[in-house]
Amino acid sequence: MKKYLIIMRHPPHGSIHVQEQLDIILTLAAFDRLVSLLFLDESVFQLFRGQSAEQYEHKETLAIFDALALYDVNDLWVETESLMEKGLILEQLTLPVKTISRARVSQFMSGFDVILGG
Amino acid sequence: MKFAVQINSSPYAGAAGEMGYQFILAALASGHSVLQIFFYFDGIYHGLAAQLPPDDERQFLRRWSQLSQQHGIDLVICISAAQRRGLLSLEESRRQNRTDQDLAPGFRISGLGQLVEATINADRFIVFPGA
């Protein structure tokens, strides 16, 4: 079966982007696909504990991330440098993630059959 | 090789349409086939029927419809992304008690399941990102 990697690059509430990406992830999960997520750049804030989108009337995407495990989507990767550049530490994220260094990302990506970025 | 393509930016706010189109032409010219173009995020605006650029400008609608007619490429607009942005097919607008027909000929509206199927059926799935 093909392995899917979804690349996240956007901050949580700047646009509808993350929500629409999550729709793709949930659809892949509904089709019983093997899905992994990689968080790069500002997307590391998507898992930041304590965020709220309530005042913007924006969907709480963090709650959807929290629910992904129910759909067997639990292979989450965060790029170490992105986390450091944004001044975050793993303890500030709400979900257990694995870390990968920037130098290893390219090789990591080659282990997947379908890569959905952008 | 069988390709499927995703276009994620609107005709005038990003390069995904142009890059995707050029990629498809090159793939076809090299003897490959293209199963589907899936329009997502702001890419759904490619399916807007009433796009009327001046004659001496790039005609995206004509390009997509030629690809569809000459090469049998399935042009799919994501329904949830389209509804959110106000692009309704006649069928959907009737359901909403409206009279809009925003969907250009040659395109069809369907769900994300079509994207998943395209990734399964194609040998390569290529994403052209938004802005």
Side-chain angles (χ1 to χ4, degrees), chain A residues 20-65:
Chain A
E20 292 192 326
Q21 260 188 315
L22 279 162
D23 285 344
I24 293 181
I25 294 164
L26 292 170
T27 308
L28 285 166
F31 278 71
D32 293 324
R33 302 290 107 186
L34 296 169
V35 181
S36 301
L37 273 55
L38 173 62
F39 294 87
L40 302 177
D41 305 328
E42 287 189 288
S43 75
V44 293
F45 285 109
Q46 289 173 19
L47 300 179
F48 185 57
R49 190 190 303 277
Q51 64 181 269
S52 170
E54 199 181 342
Q55 64 170 312
Y56 312 115
E57 296 183 33
H58 197 290
K59 208 157 191 166
E60 297 286 358
T61 46
L62 187 61
I64 306 174
F65 282 109

Side-chain angles (χ1 to χ4, degrees), chain B residues 15-38:
Chain B
E18 184 64 36
M19 290 166 67
Y21 178 71
Q22 296 298 339
F23 175 85
I24 289 166
L25 288 185
L28 294 170
S30 307
H32 301 295
S33 63
V34 179
L35 305 178
Q36 182 187 93
I37 308 174
F38 192 87

Side-chain angles (χ1 to χ4, degrees), chain A residues 2 4 19-20 24 116-118, chain B residues 40-41 84-85 119-120 122:
Chain A
K2 287 183 181 177
Y4 290 75
Q19 198 182 319
E20 292 192 326
I24 293 181
L116 300 176
Chain B
Y40 197 54
F41 300 109
R84 189 173 273 138
R85 291 166 177 80
T119 64
I120 294 169

Side-chain angles (χ1 to χ4, degrees), chain B residues 74-130:
Chain B
D74 193 14
L75 307 177
V76 182
I77 302 277
C78 174
I79 187 164
S80 57
Q83 285 193 359
R84 189 173 273 138
R85 291 166 177 80
L87 191 160
L88 304 178
S89 66
L90 192 57
E91 188 186 25
E92 186 53 36
S93 73
R94 280 192 183 131
R95 213 171 290 151
Q96 310 285 344
N97 290 319
R98 301 174 64 94
T99 55
D100 316 39
Q101 164 53 303
D102 308 315
L103 187 66
F107 290 79
R108 67 188 179 97
I109 288 201
S110 192
L112 281 167
Q114 293 292 311
L115 178 148
V116 176
E117 277 189 26
T119 64
I120 294 169
N121 295 331
D123 300 307
R124 294 282 186 279
F125 187 83
I126 313 289
V127 179
F128 292 90

